Amino acid sequence: MKNFVVKTIANAGALAVAVWILDKITLTGTSTGKKIGTLIVVALLFGLVNFLVKPVVKVLTFPLFILTLGLITLVVNALMLLLTSWIAGKLDLSFHVEGFWTAVLGGLIISIVSWALHMVLPDED
């Protein structure tokens, strides 16, 4: 359970950095508390998408992983971020990613920040 909480906090932090750096990834809200709550829900949603959908996409695109020497990972991460944005819109959450290239850059930022936070935060169960 502790590992799940740490991963969710790392995802929320990484998403917050992406929202802060990129203008086309937006998180709106009336107050700071509402923004933090939305960010945590979006982080849970992002974790769920990465847990359920990403392995299927990786299996289906395995030949492209080999052909591009893993660079297709950037596209897969962007698609997972766009899917999270779409689901957040359907759930009436105020999180939006505008455009594919923004999602590619956002996915790269989220991957780097998430990795750094996983190095700092404890992860034992």
Side-chain angles (χ1 to χ4, degrees), residues 10-56:
N11 276 341
L15 284 165
V17 170
V19 167
W20 178 60
I21 291 176
L22 300 174
D23 291 337
K24 292 186 178 183
I25 298 179
T26 57
L27 176 72
T28 55
T30 55
S31 67
T32 304
K34 189 154 177 92
K35 286 182 182 179
I36 291 172
T38 301
L39 194 60
I40 291 171
V41 172
V42 170
L44 288 168
L45 187 61
F46 187 64
L48 189 63
V49 165
N50 279 329
F51 179 73
L52 296 175
V53 179
K54 193 173 185 177
V56 175

Side-chain angles (χ1 to χ4, degrees), residues 4-101:
F4 173 75
V5 172
V6 168
K7 285 185 180 194
T8 301
I9 291 170
N11 276 341
L15 284 165
V17 170
V19 167
W20 178 60
I21 291 176
L22 300 174
D23 291 337
K24 292 186 178 183
I25 298 179
T26 57
L27 176 72
T28 55
T30 55
S31 67
T32 304
K34 189 154 177 92
K35 286 182 182 179
I36 291 172
T38 301
L39 194 60
I40 291 171
V41 172
V42 170
L44 288 168
L45 187 61
F46 187 64
L48 189 63
V49 165
N50 279 329
F51 179 73
L52 296 175
V53 179
K54 193 173 185 177
V56 175
V57 173
K58 278 186 165 183
V59 167
L60 294 175
T61 60
F62 183 70
L64 290 175
F65 275 94
I66 294 171
L67 186 66
T68 64
L69 302 174
L71 289 176
I72 194 74
T73 304
L74 293 172
V75 174
V76 171
N77 287 344
L79 292 175
M80 296 304 108
L81 189 57
L82 285 171
L83 180 60
T84 302
S85 174
W86 180 78
I87 294 171
K90 294 295 180 186
L91 295 175
D92 226 12
L93 296 170
S94 58
F95 176 78
H96 181 68
V97 178
E98 186 180 322
F100 175 74
W101 293 110

